[in-house]
Amino acid sequence: RFALVIQNEDSAYFRKTPASTSNDNRIHRNWTIHFDSTGSLKGSFKWNYQGIPATEKRLDIRSMHPREITASLSREMLRRYPDYHCNDLKFDGLKDFGNQLIITGCLVSSNQLSHRDSVLTYQPGSLSHFEWHELFGEIDRKFDIELHFTLQITDKIQVIYPFHWKPDIPFSNRKMKRQFGIVEYGIEQADSNCLHFKRHFQWDTMYVKKENYARFKAFINQIAEYDR
């Protein structure tokens, strides 16, 4: 990549700089969910943006009027996570472009469990879902795909529930590795009333040749299927 270096009003030049890696551009999203005996939940979240994702998110937030930031992000949360309502949003690192950006907040919902007889079902993937398959719906490509940067996204969801509930984990840990990147899913019983769900996505290429589009599309579609 080339960067424009401006020394003063009369002097500027281009310098070749190394491209960032997926380890430089990371999003870590941590959630803690508490269910009560009625199935309603309260929780908190902490999102950590580093590298280019931090810059993009920071610019997006700073373009808003200060009074509109919380309302706008609350609407975004509700759009991405239907029936979750967030409040008490806080930001750390909005003005420091050389540092990470951290967003924290609280959430509540009374409509996340599906009921069938005596079985209650909760899908943590509703908080950790992949959207790229929606961007590449066409069957064939006429041109190569060039993405802006490589990326890592790690979601960790801690689910705490009443002691008398008995969890049934319907899937085993999964890992899928392709030429484009890696996706991993894991879930474990952390305590007698606590489950830990983890999803890690790592994207390591910025270019997808049109000849590889079918394999690329199969990869992102498989991730979307796992998320369900």
Side-chain angles (χ1 to χ4, degrees), residues 8-162:
N8 52 54
E9 293 182 357
D10 302 317
S11 177
Y13 62 93
F14 285 98
R15 171 179 289 178
K16 191 172 184 178
T17 61
S20 60
T21 68
S22 63
N23 195 51
D24 298 317
N25 304 312
R26 291 181 289 173
I27 301 174
H28 289 269
R29 297 184 294 215
N30 292 280
W31 313 77
T32 300
I33 303 297
H34 295 261
F35 280 101
D36 64 20
S37 58
T38 68
S40 296
L41 69 81
K42 293 182 179 180
S44 61
F45 62 87
K46 180 179 180 180
W47 296 351
N48 187 314
Y49 297 79
Q50 300 179 40
I52 297 175
T55 299
E56 290 189 339
K57 194 67 175 177
R58 187 180 284 113
L59 290 173
D60 183 44
I61 295 173
R62 285 170 61 92
S63 67
M64 306 176 193
H65 190 282
R67 290 197 297 267
E68 291 295 322
I69 292 175
T70 297
S72 177
L73 288 182
S74 295
R75 288 192 296 270
E76 179 185 342
M77 284 280 293
L78 192 58
R79 177 184 62 82
R80 294 191 63 192
Y81 312 114
D83 297 320
Y84 285 94
H85 297 273
C86 71
N87 54 67
D88 198 26
L89 285 172
K90 296 179 181 178
F91 308 91
D92 183 14
L94 270 182
K95 297 181 179 180
D96 186 357
F97 277 77
N99 209 338
Q100 61 189 355
L101 172 65
I102 299 174
I103 303 175
T104 59
C106 298
L107 53 87
V108 296
S109 180
S110 59
N111 193 30
Q112 295 303 319
L113 292 178
S114 59
H115 298 252
R116 185 175 182 180
D117 298 328
S118 61
V119 177
L120 303 175
T121 302
Y122 174 65
Q123 296 178 299
S126 63
L127 292 176
S128 174
H129 59 271
F130 189 76
E131 299 172 337
W132 284 18
H133 65 287
E134 299 174 0
L135 304 176
F136 301 98
E138 64 266 41
I139 298 175
D140 299 305
R141 288 282 301 189
K142 294 183 179 179
F143 306 101
D144 298 340
I145 298 172
E146 181 176 355
L147 302 170
H148 294 302
F149 52 89
T150 54
L151 175 68
Q152 290 185 33
I153 302 175
T154 302
D155 288 311
K156 295 181 180 180
I157 304 172
Q158 181 184 45
V159 181
I160 302 170
Y161 48 87

